Amino acid sequence: MTETGTARAGNPERDTLDKAGAENFPVAPFFLPRAWRDDLMAIYGFARLVDDIGDGDLAPGGADARLLGLAPQDADDPLLLLDAFEADLGKVFDGTPNHPLLRGLRHTVRRHRLTPEPFLALIAANRQDQLVKRYETYDDLLAYCALSANPVGHLVLAVTGATTPERVRHSDAICTALQIVEHLQDVAEDLGRDRIYLPAADMKRFHVQEKDLVAPTAGASARALIAYEAERARLLLDEGAPLVGSVHGRLRLLLAGFVAGGRAAVHAIAAAAFDVLPGPPKPGKLRLLREVGATLRGEG
């Protein structure tokens, strides 16, 4: 391991937060008030670490497991890690947690009087990932997204003081779309973990079998399936886009960035002719900026 790798492995908090730059959308951009940036990074750190636990992507060396009080032999067991992380999350609300990411989250929770429910939902989604490897219908996938993605939008609205029932509804559409887009980008990576987030009913409709998803490149049927799911995500982004126009100032720009990130990713998938199997198609910064402008102007 290099000196840099050793340093990163020894600082699980920094290792997790550094992943923000690889997301499809800006997590806590510079133009936001400092307090908002701190809160959004605290939420991102929680959500990213939960996903890393569920995906087996923790920094090497077992630092996170030690912080959560697990023995070395349990450091690679996602379910045990999630249980320990949930127990440490409880201390955010009634004590002092052990993990530094949760200690940072405690300030955000207290400042905005956040409840445990959205955090517990994100943990539940990653538990589900350990047990459910296939989704029969699109509705089944939407129910998973309600755990894995939508709570993040609820937290963003809460820390920015923008929560209303209508905004939550629009936020749910955007967050679900972003989750679906990520699944489409990561078909090959997810299959490597024995997970398929393409609904089985849709695979059957497009005559796509699991063996078709392990090919180096996608055939015509698989591309048609990806195009179909990408259009669903695009429509969800359009459904949620009125959220942007319902707020003002820097929050409007932040939310436009979320929608634009999803739209730019959908465009990147289309630009790859819907062949996601060689690797995740990623949008360039220029395309993202164009989509931000279009979203702020209210263009679909």
Side-chain angles (χ1 to χ4, degrees), residues 16-96:
T16 299
L17 295 177
D18 281 349
K19 296 180 181 180
E23 302 294 342
N24 281 328
F25 49 86
V27 173
F30 70 93
F31 56 79
L32 294 178
R34 177 62 183 269
W36 282 9
R37 295 203 311 272
D38 290 346
D39 289 334
L40 292 174
M41 284 305 296
I43 291 168
Y44 173 79
F46 174 90
R48 182 71 267 166
L49 183 56
V50 171
D51 282 352
D52 286 349
I53 291 172
D55 291 342
D57 286 341
L58 292 176
D64 291 289
R66 288 194 297 273
L67 286 166
L68 296 173
L70 289 181
Q73 63 268 26
D74 297 327
D76 295 323
D77 187 322
L79 286 172
L80 288 177
L81 281 162
L82 289 169
D83 287 347
F85 193 59
E86 182 174 322
D88 209 29
L89 170 66
K91 298 176 185 175
V92 170
F93 297 90
D94 61 10
T96 302

Side-chain angles (χ1 to χ4, degrees), residues 151-284:
V152 176
H154 301 172
L155 290 167
V156 171
L157 292 176
V159 301
T160 58
T163 302
T164 68
E166 184 176 21
R167 286 175 181 154
V168 167
R169 180 171 58 83
H170 288 143
S171 172
D172 285 350
I174 294 168
C175 290
T176 292
L178 292 174
Q179 180 74 90
I180 291 173
V181 169
E182 184 178 337
H183 288 158
L184 296 179
Q185 291 174 310
D186 294 341
V187 167
E189 180 181 334
D190 289 333
L191 192 58
R193 298 187 174 103
D194 190 30
R195 299 176 192 163
I196 296 178
Y197 295 100
L198 299 167
D202 295 343
M203 291 178 63
K204 182 177 181 180
R205 174 183 174 184
F206 284 89
H207 308 288
V208 174
Q209 300 180 33
E210 291 191 16
K211 64 181 178 63
D212 299 320
L213 302 179
V214 299
T217 61
S221 295
R223 292 180 193 227
L225 171 61
I226 298 299
Y228 178 72
E229 306 298 351
E231 176 64 8
R232 278 176 154 171
R234 187 190 68 79
L235 292 173
L236 280 170
L237 289 168
D238 289 349
E239 179 184 331
L243 175 65
V244 176
S246 75
V247 298
H248 303 282
R250 286 176 282 188
L251 178 56
R252 186 165 180 257
L253 188 55
L254 173 69
L255 298 180
F258 294 160
V259 175
R263 286 173 168 168
V266 169
H267 180 271
I269 292 169
F274 303 103
D275 185 5
V276 298
L277 298 187
K282 294 287 188 178

